Amino acid sequence: MLPLPADSGRNSRGGPAPAAADSGLLAAPLAEALDILPPTQARLQDASVRAGGCFVRPLPLDRTCSGAARRFFREAVAGLGLPGDLVHDGITMASELAANTLHAQGNVEYSGGNRQRAVSGIPEFWLYLRGRGARSEVVCKIFDSEPGWAVDAQLLPGKAPLEQVGGRGLQVVAALSAGQWGGHPSRGRLGAWKVPGKAVWFALRVPPAAESARLGRHELSPAQAVDELEAMLTDRGLGSRVVRVDERSGDMSVLSISRHLTIWRRGKTLTWRAHAGEYRHMHVADLADIAEQIICAHEEAAQADPVIV
């Protein structure tokens, strides 16, 4: 019998706040950035948002990034049956977060020496669903490869200086999301390699009457869920670290990533211990969010103990 983690803790969805770092680089337009999208595969992570997948697009490295984020948000939520005012709020918040990536491009890497084509570290737009039924939420995240942020911006979002454009944008996000926003360490999904950085996010509750809340998402079997989670973590650069053990009866699986991070699957529940020490328990239907939280836990542990990087 495989060992079980402590049966205590809580679910958690937050994170520290972002800050931007100056760099002033401009690069290729969106059409060229799309070249780094992965090939289409018949896997959950490449499925539609409605089916439980994550919508992923690269953001341009110039001032069109906000407009691109607005288009991506509309495209990602199409077919979810969200009310117009909720879509408008989401578009506004995605635009504000994307604008901050103009100040966070110091770690973008290019092919050759002419900075004509970005190959890694480009800002990214992500959107997926988490929760089920009346507790379903749209989660939108903007990733960039600058690892740090000012914690004070999260703790006191209303205190940003007037000249701090990013801070004012975060105030808009804090207000429109009713406080459901934040930031956390993460890794990119696109590019030649999956660079570390941060994801800044907001969440919007899906009204119970919306089609996506009423119909729900396709539910994988426990074994399929572990296969998908392992593939997701491998695609984000953790494949060489993952050690998997499956109990013969099929009742339990374990994914060990490091001495700091182990994921247990029993039935349809996945459990792991966050860097802060508490255990988190989530249903396998939320694989997109589970994978992101595990990446966050790994990056937090790596920051505290660089030996495991």
Side-chain angles (χ1 to χ4, degrees), residues 87-279:
V87 173
H88 181 269
D89 287 349
I91 288 171
T92 301
M93 289 187 283
S95 176
E96 294 290 349
L97 293 185
N100 285 339
T101 65
L102 286 173
H103 308 287
Q105 297 177 11
N107 292 326
V108 177
E109 298 186 34
Y110 300 86
S111 61
N114 57 4
R115 291 184 175 177
Q116 292 300 306
R117 184 179 297 276
V119 295
S120 192
I122 192 169
E124 302 173 18
F125 176 102
W126 308 338
L127 189 142
Y128 58 84
L129 291 172
R130 71 178 172 203
R132 292 175 291 167
R135 299 185 62 83
S136 181
E137 295 177 314
V138 168
V139 180
C140 180
K141 300 190 177 187
I142 302 294
F143 171 84
D144 67 64
S145 55
E146 293 287 348
W149 53 73
V151 176
D152 288 347
Q154 166 110 354
L155 299 179
L156 298 171
K159 301 297 184 180
L162 291 178
E163 67 273 12
Q164 184 178 328
V165 175
R168 296 208 310 273
L170 294 180
Q171 291 178 44
V172 171
V173 174
L176 291 180
S177 67
Q180 296 299 305
W181 73 286
H184 59 79
S186 190
R187 284 182 173 231
R189 298 171 182 266
L190 305 175
W193 49 90
K194 307 309 183 283
V195 299
K198 66 176 179 292
V200 190
W201 61 273
F202 64 86
L204 293 170
R205 179 63 58 86
V206 177
E211 185 176 4
S212 56
R214 289 186 290 105
L215 298 181
R217 282 163 277 158
H218 174 68
E219 190 171 306
L220 298 174
S221 70
Q224 289 174 321
V226 176
D227 290 342
E228 287 289 347
L229 179 59
E230 184 178 9
M232 288 177 176
L233 298 178
T234 296
D235 286 347
R236 303 288 289 280
L238 302 187
S240 63
R241 301 182 175 278
V242 176
V243 177
R244 176 173 173 176
V245 179
D246 296 302
E247 199 171 56
R248 284 180 177 271
S249 66
D251 291 338
M252 185 184 297
S253 298
V254 175
L255 296 177
S256 177
I257 297 175
S258 72
R259 67 179 182 270
H260 300 276
L261 183 57
T262 300
I263 303 102
W264 294 265
R265 191 278 306 165
R266 186 167 190 178
K268 294 186 177 181
T269 299
L270 287 161
T271 300
W272 67 97
R273 190 169 72 173
H275 180 60
E278 76 275 16
Y279 284 93

